[in-house]
Amino acid sequence: MTTSTSTSTSNAPRDLRDFYEDPSVPVASGDARSLRQARMLADAIGPATAHTAVVLDIGCGDGTAAATAAPLLAGHRVIGVDWSQDALKRAHAHLPYVVRGELTDGGLPFADGSADAVLFSEVIEHLVDPDSALDELRRVLRPGGHLMLSTPNLAAWYNRGLLLAGVQPVFSEVSLRGIHGRPGSEVVGHLRLYTARALREFVAASGFDVVRVAGAPFHGVPRPLRALDRLACAVPSASSILLLHARRK
């Protein structure tokens, strides 16, 4: 949320795959989101002494978010899944199990109903076809299995003010080559953005029972405003990041 910049077209990626293979592209909204999401998942699946759950971290990236969550998921089997071989190499430093897989082109390399839970962190906003993605997540989850999804909030408290001022909302992007018309300098490839209401309705329409929507702060908020950003988490519809817990029907 600093001043706007743009990059030369000579540095533009050839396509989205090239863009996401670039290790300099930011892949997460911070440790606070990872910890809050991990606490929600740990509360949902319970301790490993009762049952060792299979948790698929779909779109695990470099594995840092899973590493942040690991102490809360001790004893459970967390498997990192990503289509990028480079990301999986880096993720293996944090996760004992990593698997290459895609939500399209044949689907994930897991049997129907084989997972107790799916972490889907900061992924859905990058997808061309989120409907098919949720269909595939539902397939690999057992009945009653848990979906823990996080995504930036289009209606974050500061975005409401920016829109009133005629400024492009934070998290939205009009180009892969640079930021235009809004605060910030990092291009991260967001294709879709959700409000809390839209996310609830979309996930419910995809065959899930929505249990809870919570809020999390965003590390990119300027330091003087971070206390306010944390306070906004008490009202998820105005928070920076949306955390959704749903169960497969």
Side-chain angles (χ1 to χ4, degrees):
M1 297 174 68
T2 56
T3 55
S4 168
T5 63
S6 61
T7 59
S8 167
T9 57
S10 63
N11 296 326
R14 291 190 300 274
D15 56 34
L16 280 173
R17 284 185 177 267
D18 289 338
F19 180 81
Y20 292 125
E21 282 283 8
D22 183 350
S24 68
V25 173
V27 294
S29 57
D31 290 348
R33 187 273 301 165
S34 299
L35 281 171
R36 289 181 185 224
Q37 191 173 25
R39 290 190 188 107
M40 289 174 67
L41 178 56
D43 288 344
I45 62 179
T49 51
H51 168 66
T52 300
V54 174
V55 180
L56 305 181
D57 185 1
I58 307 296
C60 67
D62 62 8
T64 54
T68 301
L72 296 172
L73 302 176
H76 294 298
R77 187 181 186 190
V78 181
I79 302 172
V81 184
D82 208 289
W83 62 264
S84 168
Q85 292 286 12
D86 179 68
L88 290 176
K89 288 177 183 176
R90 290 179 282 142
H92 198 51
H94 304 291
L95 292 166
Y97 309 103
V98 295
V99 176
R100 188 182 186 280
E102 300 193 42
L103 290 163
T104 57
D105 298 330
L108 297 167
F110 302 100
D112 295 0
S114 58
D116 296 289
V118 164
L119 277 170
F120 203 48
S121 306
E122 319 272 323
V123 176
I124 199 167
E125 63 270 19
H126 300 274
L127 299 180
V128 173
D129 186 1
D131 302 272
S132 295
L134 283 197
D135 288 345
E136 183 63 2
L137 298 184
R138 186 175 183 276
R139 181 189 69 79
V140 300
L141 278 169
R142 63 169 175 79
H146 303 276
L147 171 65
M148 294 289 173
L149 183 156
S150 66
T151 191
N153 184 9
L154 175 62
W157 60 275
Y158 39 81
N159 279 345
R160 301 181 188 208
L162 291 174
L163 277 170
L164 285 173
V167 178
Q168 187 83 8
V170 174
F171 305 125
S172 66
E173 295 175 345
V174 300
S175 170
L176 289 180
R177 298 175 179 176
I179 295 299
H180 305 285
R182 71 157 173 83
S185 59
E186 295 179 333
V187 180
V188 293
H190 289 173
L191 304 180
R192 300 182 182 276
L193 289 175
Y194 299 81
T195 64
R197 179 176 178 176
L199 188 65
R200 277 182 175 273
E201 292 183 5
F202 171 57
V203 172
S206 300
F208 293 87
D209 288 319
V210 176
V211 177
R212 178 189 176 198
V213 175
F218 174 48
H219 69 85
V221 169
R223 189 173 298 277
L225 299 176
R226 288 181 184 175
L228 182 58
D229 192 43
R230 289 191 297 271
L231 285 174
C233 294
V235 184
S237 62
S239 65
S240 285
I241 306 296
L242 299 171
L243 306 176
L244 179 140
H245 172 207
R247 300 193 72 169
R248 181 196 160 178
K249 291 181 179 178

